[in-house]
Amino acid sequence: MKLWCSDTSPYARKVRVLVRELGLTDRVTEQPVATTPIAPNADLAKVSPLVRVPTLETDEGEALYDSRVICEYLESLDGVTPLTPANGAARWRDLRDAALAEGILDTAVGLRYETGLKEARFQDPNWIAARRQRILHALDAMESSAPDAEAGPSQGTIAWAAALGYLDLRFPDMSWREGRPKLAAWYERFSQRPSLVETEPPK
Ligand SMILES: N[C@@H](CCC(=O)N[C@@H](CS)C(=O)NCC(=O)O)C(=O)O
């Protein structure tokens, strides 16, 4: 399988972490690529109509996206022991947690494009402030339900770590740890997993 990814994409990082946690590194080759909304990568465009990373080309030649679909696919492969709870309340809670982190990412990545790719005169400070507020609000929800220190990897916990790592990379001024001691303690421990260390984005 071929995983189109980038070393700074938090969505791709979710998949790259899961690949490692599931023991699939021998079956997945990473294909780094640079793509942005205003400079879509031509090679990726040939296999992925939205031209976004991550995209997974399966051994059958199918292109899968987005990161959630790819995570579900990887956990469904023969010979793989899924990490995300299979059913019941634990599953819905975990997938809800993944959606919360992805909401943070959608907001933060959108902000990054807004401020990084648009000329200053086209940026709306009120909109930017509201988006930052949304991220802080979501972080408060994470603090209220921070996982046990011993919680293992799953789609939910991996998405949380990818989102927090992305805030450290792109929005250090948000100081997300301030006032969120449980979340900070959980992340401190979880981010030491080899899968997270190996996929840490370059500063
Ligand atoms: N919902 C998608 C989001 C993927 C996404 O937005 N990836 C970014 C990189 S972080 C990208 O490829 N951006 C290029 C673009 O939007 O044209 C997922 O979960 O995979």
Side-chain angles (χ1 to χ4, degrees):
M1 290 175 275
K2 180 169 163 182
L3 178 65
W4 295 78
C5 58
S6 82
D7 56 6
T8 53
S9 166
Y11 303 100
R13 190 176 184 205
K14 286 195 308 171
V15 175
R16 295 171 65 220
V17 169
L18 188 63
V19 162
R20 286 160 175 76
E21 295 288 355
L22 292 173
L24 288 171
T25 48
D26 289 349
R27 294 170 65 181
V28 177
T29 304
E30 295 185 355
Q31 174 67 58
V33 65
T35 193
T36 75
I38 58 170
N41 180 275
D43 293 328
L44 180 58
K46 288 178 195 150
V47 294
S48 190
L50 296 173
V51 204
R52 296 195 301 197
V53 289
T55 293
L56 181 77
E57 282 185 75
T58 68
D59 290 340
E60 291 72 37
E62 189 99 46
L64 295 182
Y65 44 86
D66 60 3
S67 60
R68 293 188 210 196
V69 174
I70 299 171
C71 289
E72 285 289 320
Y73 176 75
L74 294 176
E75 288 203 293
S76 77
L77 287 173
D78 283 346
V80 159
T81 305
L83 299 168
T84 304
N87 48 44
R91 177 167 179 80
W92 302 121
R93 198 172 299 126
D94 195 83
L95 295 183
R96 186 275 317 272
D97 285 352
L100 180 61
E102 282 150 18
I104 288 180
L105 286 178
D106 294 345
T107 311
V109 172
L111 262 177
R112 167 101 179 142
Y113 289 152
E114 173 79 10
T115 55
L117 300 180
K118 270 192 192 174
E119 285 180 44
R121 65 195 167 108
F122 293 127
Q123 296 174 21
D124 177 354
N126 290 332
W127 188 86
I128 291 170
R131 305 304 280 179
R132 288 173 71 96
Q133 199 51 46
R134 174 166 295 178
I135 293 172
L136 294 172
H137 194 57
L139 286 165
D140 288 341
M142 290 166 83
E143 171 70 7
S144 306
S145 57
D148 297 339
E150 305 303 326
S154 64
Q155 290 190 39
T157 52
I158 291 171
W160 279 32
L164 296 172
Y166 186 73
L167 294 180
D168 278 344
L169 177 70
R170 299 296 193 206
F171 297 88
D173 61 305
M174 290 189 83
S175 305
W176 65 263
R177 291 172 180 78
E178 275 177 25
R180 300 185 188 88
K182 284 190 285 180
L183 189 59
W186 170 78
Y187 180 70
E188 177 64 29
R189 187 181 176 107
F190 194 78
S191 60
Q192 286 167 17
R193 298 184 71 84
S195 61
L196 272 297
V197 173
E198 278 173 31
T199 58
E200 200 172 326
K203 299 272 184 218

